[in-house]
Amino acid sequence: MLFNSIEFAIFLPIVFLLYWFVTKKNIKSQNILLLLASYLFYGWWDWRFLSLIIFSSFLDYIIGLQLHKTEIKKKRKALLFMSLIVNLGFLGVFKYFNFFAQSFADAFTMFGIPFEASRLNIILPVGISFYTFQTLSYSIDVYRKKMEPTNDIISFFAFVSFFPQLVAGPIERASNLLPQFHKKRTFDYSAASDGMRQILWGLFKKIVIADNCAVYVNQIFENYTDYSGSTLFLGALLFAFQIYGDFSGYSDIAIGTARLFGFNLMKNFAFPYFSRDIAEFWRRWHISLSTWFRDYLYIPLGGSSGSSAKKIRNIFIIFLVSGFWHGANWTFIVWGFLNALYFLPLMLLGKNRKNTNTVAEGKLFISFKEIIQIAITFFLTNIAWVFFRAENVTKAFKYLKIVFSKSLLTLPDLSEISLVILALIGLLVVVEWVHREREHGLNFTNTQYPKFIRWSIYIGVIVVIAVFGGSQETFIYFQF
Amino acid sequence: MKKFITHSIVFSILAFLVLAIMVIGTTLFAKKSFDYSIPENKNILVIGDSHTECAIDDRILNNAFNLSQSATCYFYTYLKTREVINHNPQIDTLIVSYSYSSLKKIKDKWLIGPENLKFKIRDHLILFNATDFKELFLASPKDVLVFAPQVIAHNFKVLRNGYSALGGFDNSERNNLQEDILKLQNEDEKNPIEGYSKYQEDYLLKIYNFSQEKNIKLILVNTPMHAEALKKDTKAHKTYYCEFYASKMPEASLLNHTNFDMADSGFGDAYHLNFKGAKIYTDYLMKTNFAEDANYCHEIK
């Protein structure tokens, strides 16, 4: 079920009313309701893959309990490995098998050895990378004794499949989300109202920004040889807004929806395009994944301690794995590699934590220096996005070759691009700039605006969504 | 909780009302301001889908006004027919696209599929009356609700562009014939008949009845097709097509020019003419004065 669908608009109020009126008195029945609703939400797409989630949940539930029962190091390690192998095994088969098979075949062929790789005719279960990482965080945290395992199977299953964030995150840590299933939830008017505002802002970003940009991005990327460098550069800019609108829009809707049910999910985006350097960008973009890799991969590898060679190795590992997490294609690996290259000088010079606050904090306007820093960071991310979006690495290089040709200095072909869309992107930037120190673009908590003004703004956003909404597109991150 | 639910309901109603008022307000304004008149010398209205859009050049047949648009079902064709004829009494002849695919079930997608409805409703809402809206809403309630608000901005575009927003001759330079032929030759089977569209049949008959009521000559036209494309329709389907015409629209003429002798260079693809073909075909129509000279249906009988 898509967030931007009529089905979800019917589903959500029904679950909400049942949750707060019918199952209100009992946490267990609330959790059962959430579990059933989550399975319905997921099964709406393809019920067959529910079995994967159920199996994965059951395995990690049992492993968690077994880890708690034993102090024998070898046995604990074996249990953790079992969780890692099974969960990552599913991911490997469904997501990476064909990629590895093809890459092996290509490598053999390159050395003149004909090799026919067999391929699996399978589809990728939606959200597998997200819920796999979520259940893994539980097994690892229990193994590390950072948290107690749960005995409550319903809570655990509901935690793994919690519908607001099941298919595209934020990837929750068990230590944050699971305890919330054990506690009594009370309805909080201001949290729920702000949740609704966040949903509305997420829908604006998805339906207006991302879905409209998608039309031009598809046109430009699929026919890139027909356009000038300046138009291709514009295409890359539009993709930057498409992917931001799509993914951060999804996260906003997920976080807002969870708040309606009394849950707090972690922040996933913090206005990343206002970052002054790449390190700041990565603290603000897909935060739940970056911190997951930091906690479960980067720090165990040694993090930023040790020799320079070790630091460099760790940076490349984390960015390459992050790229590979996004998809079984060399384009994502090159994207990760580029980001590692961007990040490396900052880390080696000890400047990666220079910009930890919000840009122009407490001020409306920004200094010239900060404008330049933001522009350079945005430009670098755009170059990397070309690899992320392109069909293959060769096409990405060809695309960039045209971008950096003389035709970059010509006027872009705006004939097929609606100026209204560019104006709406401008609106997004302005609203997010004004609210960059808040949780989301439409957060009016503790502001002085009278109700009439606030409601007019919300209705204005609804009108913009209804009038300028693009075609109902699926979310980009569903494929990851 | 009570406050939250009350606020949510009040807010939803308010948002719905604002949207409804904006849709109705801008549509009424556009309806009133739209210039429905066509040049006085145009007494032939050409209407339909991509077949007539690509085939009849109204710059050559200069007493004709081509308002065809690709992927237009008979529902919208009927609305255009009704509004243009009601505002332009000089029209005495109506040419409507009636191809072998016109009645097929698959054409329902042109009315109720979201891909098409999104674009068609926003272009054509100024032509709707309350009954038309109700009928479309009943046919596809979800998509009408989702896409109707898009007319708020689009009504102004229709006003600015006039009739060209609703269709016109497509001076197509397309050259996809060889690609299409290869594709058709690789498909061994004939097009299956998956039933017929009730919507298409009903609205075609509405067009027929309207033309009868207004005493306007109705000519159904099946524009030239490439021989490879022609092979794909079964005899049973062609019989249904002909019988529908003969039994339900006895007063109309049918120009079945699918077998028209057209060189490959006249085709944009296997089903449509390009500008060269349109010139040849329009010249032919002028020369024969729309004589019912080539009706495959007679052969079937």
Side-chain angles (χ1 to χ4, degrees):
Chain A
M1 201 180 290
L2 290 171
F3 281 160
N4 51 332
S5 66
I6 293 283
E7 289 82 1
F8 185 71
I10 296 166
F11 167 85
L12 182 61
I14 292 173
V15 179
F16 177 84
L17 292 175
L18 289 173
Y19 182 82
W20 289 114
F21 288 101
V22 180
T23 61
K24 185 184 168 188
K25 286 182 186 157
N26 186 318
I27 302 176
K28 195 160 194 165
S29 46
Q30 276 190 329
N31 289 345
I32 290 173
L33 175 71
L34 286 178
L35 179 63
L36 294 176
S38 299
Y39 284 171
L40 177 68
F41 178 86
Y42 192 83
W44 203 268
W45 168 70
D46 193 331
W47 59 268
R48 290 169 303 171
F49 290 118
L50 270 176
S51 56
L52 273 183
I53 298 183
I54 293 169
F55 181 79
S56 199
S57 307
F58 188 70
L59 177 85
D60 284 299
Y61 173 73
I62 297 292
I63 284 179
L65 292 176
Q66 294 301 317
L67 279 170
H68 190 60
K69 275 185 194 164
T70 180
E71 285 300 326
I72 305 164
K73 227 176 173 181
K74 264 190 176 172
K75 196 175 173 191
R76 289 176 63 78
K77 253 190 185 156
L79 286 166
L80 178 66
F81 275 123
M82 191 195 283
S83 170
L84 288 171
I85 286 167
V86 174
N87 283 304
L88 295 177
F90 279 142
L91 205 55
V93 170
F94 283 99
K95 195 167 173 176
Y96 299 110
F97 183 87
N98 287 340
F99 171 76
F100 280 122
Q102 190 57 46
S103 298
F104 273 122
D106 291 346
F108 276 104
T109 311
M110 211 166 75
F111 290 110
I113 309 162
F115 183 82
E116 197 62 44
S118 53
R119 295 170 68 86
L120 295 177
N121 189 18
I122 44 173
I123 50 168
L124 181 67
V126 165
I128 188 167
S129 308
F130 291 90
Y131 67 75
T132 299
F133 272 41
Q134 191 154 306
T135 59
L136 276 180
S137 85
Y138 172 77
S139 307
I140 300 171
D141 282 352
V142 173
Y143 172 78
R144 289 174 172 178
K145 297 186 176 169
K146 282 193 174 176
M147 68 178 293
E148 293 277 306
T150 180
N151 284 314
D152 182 351
I153 192 165
I154 299 294
S155 295
F156 184 75
F157 274 51
F159 149 74
V160 176
S161 62
F162 189 39
F163 75 87
Q165 44 85 249
L166 171 61
V167 288
I171 303 165
E172 275 297 334
R173 280 333 126 67
S175 53
N176 175 46
L177 186 56
L178 189 53
Q180 295 185 53
F181 280 95
H182 296 142
K183 273 191 284 181
K184 184 173 165 58
R185 274 87 67 179
T186 47
F187 183 79
D188 178 348
Y189 175 81
S190 64
S193 308
D194 197 48
M196 291 291 276
R197 285 191 284 266
Q198 196 160 1
I199 292 173
L200 185 58
W201 190 240
L203 287 172
F204 170 79
K205 287 199 272 189
K206 166 64 184 160
I207 298 173
V208 178
I209 302 297
D211 290 352
N212 277 305
C213 285
V215 178
Y216 306 114
V217 169
N218 294 345
Q219 167 72 16
I220 292 172
F221 271 81
E222 278 159 25
N223 306 289
Y224 67 96
T225 49
D226 299 344
Y227 295 104
S228 66
S230 54
T231 308
L232 295 192
F233 186 67
L234 183 66
L237 286 183
L238 289 174
F239 180 65
F241 283 102
Q242 183 197 344
I243 192 150
Y244 173 68
D246 193 285
F247 194 21
S248 75
Y250 186 94
S251 295
D252 277 336
I253 301 167
I255 295 166
T257 305
R259 293 178 83 185
L260 292 178
F261 295 92
F263 286 85
N264 280 313
L265 301 182
M266 72 182 293
K267 195 172 182 171
N268 214 16
F269 287 84
F271 311 108
Y273 289 150
F274 300 139
S275 302
R276 286 152 293 181
D277 58 49
I278 286 293
E280 186 185 5
F281 176 82
W282 280 105
R283 281 192 295 277
R284 293 175 175 277
W285 180 275
H286 203 174
I287 300 165
S288 64
L289 181 70
S290 312
T291 52
W292 198 100
F293 279 127
R294 183 196 65 199
D295 295 345
Y296 299 113
L297 185 65
Y298 184 63
I299 292 174
L301 284 170
S304 56
S305 57
S307 65
S308 291
K310 204 173 168 192
K311 280 183 199 173
I312 294 169
R313 182 202 69 180
N314 293 348
I315 287 299
F316 274 104
I317 288 176
I318 193 171
F319 275 107
L320 290 176
V321 171
S322 171
F324 200 47
W325 176 89
H326 282 87
N329 193 328
W330 287 103
T331 52
F332 296 115
I333 296 172
V334 176
W335 172 76
F337 180 79
L338 258 184
N339 276 288
L341 283 185
Y342 294 160
F343 189 88
L344 214 53
L346 291 171
M347 203 200 61
L348 293 175
L349 294 169
K351 289 186 175 176
N352 56 315
R353 299 203 64 81
K354 193 179 153 198
N355 295 311
T356 49
N357 62 343
T358 304
V359 62
E361 209 164 5
K363 294 181 224 160
L364 181 61
F365 295 107
I366 179 176
S367 71
F368 182 69
K369 187 185 161 194
E370 286 168 329
I371 292 177
I372 298 295
Q373 288 174 329
I374 290 174
I376 291 171
T377 310
F378 186 56
F379 175 78
L380 291 174
T381 48
N382 266 277
I383 301 300
W385 284 138
V386 171
F387 287 93
F388 196 95
R389 172 61 180 78
E391 216 174 286
N392 57 47
V393 177
T394 314
K395 283 188 178 176
F397 276 116
K398 283 182 182 168
Y399 188 103
L400 287 172
K401 198 178 164 192
I402 302 173
V403 168
F404 294 111
S405 66
K406 273 184 191 168
S407 61
L408 179 64
L409 303 173
T410 58
L411 277 177
D413 177 9
L414 290 171
S415 58
E416 287 182 43
I417 296 168
S418 160
L419 293 178
V420 176
I421 301 309
L422 296 180
L424 290 166
I425 291 174
L427 177 73
L428 167 83
V429 174
V430 170
V431 171
E432 296 225 320
W433 174 260
V434 172
H435 282 178
R436 69 195 180 283
E437 290 176 61
R438 294 176 167 270
E439 283 299 304
H440 57 89
L442 223 52
N443 182 308
F444 286 109
T445 314
N446 301 325
T447 52
Q448 303 296 317
Y449 301 117
K451 195 175 182 179
F452 169 73
I453 300 285
R454 281 184 281 122
W455 279 42
S456 301
I457 292 171
Y458 309 147
I459 288 176
V461 175
I462 289 176
V463 169
V464 169
I465 291 172
V467 175
F468 298 108
S471 307
Q472 190 189 67
E473 304 264 348
T474 185
F475 288 83
I476 295 175
Y477 266 68
F478 278 16
Q479 64 187 293
F480 300 144
Chain B
M1 172 62 85
K2 203 177 158 191
K3 188 179 159 193
F4 178 79
I5 291 174
T6 314
H7 278 187
S8 300
I9 292 170
V10 171
F11 181 79
S12 304
I13 292 170
L14 215 72
F16 181 81
L17 282 178
V18 168
L19 279 173
I21 289 168
M22 289 176 83
V23 169
I24 295 167
T26 55
T27 305
L28 289 179
F29 173 75
K31 225 174 156 53
K32 216 173 164 191
S33 315
F34 190 81
D35 180 8
Y36 292 92
S37 62
I38 63 171
E40 276 291 318
N41 66 323
K42 307 268 185 187
N43 64 317
I44 300 172
L45 177 64
V46 181
I47 211 145
D49 53 17
S50 54
H51 295 284
T52 41
E53 182 190 34
C54 296
I56 301 178
D57 187 343
D58 54 2
R59 296 168 309 175
I60 297 169
L61 186 63
N62 54 21
N63 61 333
F65 188 69
N66 191 339
L67 205 50
S68 311
Q69 195 178 51
S70 58
T72 299
C73 59
Y74 284 131
F75 173 79
Y76 296 108
T77 302
Y78 168 67
L79 301 186
K80 284 199 265 193
T81 304
R82 186 184 67 198
E83 295 305 314
V84 177
I85 289 176
N86 280 341
H87 288 88
N88 296 279
Q90 77 272 27
I91 292 171
D92 55 23
T93 306
L94 178 64
I95 299 179
V96 176
S97 173
Y98 182 59
S99 69
Y100 285 139
S101 61
S102 293
L103 302 179
K104 287 179 180 172
K105 185 78 184 155
I106 199 166
K107 295 292 172 193
D108 279 350
K109 278 188 187 170
W110 284 5
L111 182 69
I112 55 180
E115 295 87 6
N116 219 22
L117 192 138
K118 178 187 174 177
F119 298 103
K120 293 297 178 190
I121 193 172
R122 67 187 196 187
D123 282 339
H124 294 85
L125 201 67
I126 62 159
L127 307 177
F128 279 56
N129 60 30
T131 317
D132 304 326
F133 189 82
K134 189 182 140 199
E135 284 180 23
L136 186 60
F137 179 76
L138 292 176
S140 193
K142 185 183 120 183
D143 295 321
V144 168
L145 277 182
V146 170
F147 295 121
Q150 302 217 339
V151 303
I152 294 169
H154 211 78
N155 273 332
F156 295 99
K157 203 172 166 187
V158 173
L159 267 185
R160 198 174 63 236
N161 294 341
Y163 273 127
S164 66
L166 305 179
F169 169 65
D170 181 3
N171 192 34
S172 168
E173 292 182 21
R174 211 154 28 136
N175 185 19
N176 290 345
L177 181 65
Q178 293 312 319
E179 211 176 288
D180 258 18
I181 289 175
L182 274 177
K183 218 163 87 185
L184 288 165
Q185 284 172 342
N186 285 335
E187 293 166 3
D188 290 337
E189 290 181 10
K190 292 205 178 240
N191 295 335
I193 302 174
E194 287 159 349
Y196 292 96
S197 166
K198 186 86 178 54
Y199 293 118
Q200 285 289 83
E201 292 183 355
D202 286 353
Y203 280 95
L204 178 58
L205 291 180
K206 276 195 176 191
I207 295 169
Y208 173 73
N209 292 333
F210 182 77
S211 66
Q212 291 300 298
E213 200 181 288
K214 293 278 178 182
N215 209 15
I216 286 171
K217 185 180 177 190
L218 175 65
I219 301 171
L220 301 168
V221 62
N222 199 356
T223 60
M225 273 164 73
H226 194 272
E228 285 298 330
L230 213 46
K231 286 179 194 166
K232 291 290 163 185
D233 280 310
T234 58
K235 192 171 178 185
H237 170 64
K238 287 175 184 169
T239 306
Y240 182 87
Y241 166 91
C242 291
E243 280 178 0
F244 186 84
Y245 152 70
S247 63
K248 309 277 178 160
M249 298 178 287
E251 300 301 321
S253 305
L254 172 62
L255 304 185
N256 194 339
H257 287 146
T258 45
N259 282 318
F260 190 87
D261 188 16
M262 178 73 71
D264 281 3
S265 59
F267 286 99
D269 60 40
Y271 298 88
H272 302 95
L273 300 180
N274 60 21
F275 75 102
K276 289 179 200 161
K279 184 181 176 326
I280 295 166
Y281 184 57
T282 311
D283 280 340
Y284 175 80
L285 289 177
M286 279 174 76
K287 202 173 91 187
T288 56
N289 199 20
F290 304 102
E292 205 175 334
D293 58 343
N295 193 341
Y296 170 83
C297 296
H298 295 321
E299 290 170 36
I300 286 185
K301 282 171 193 167

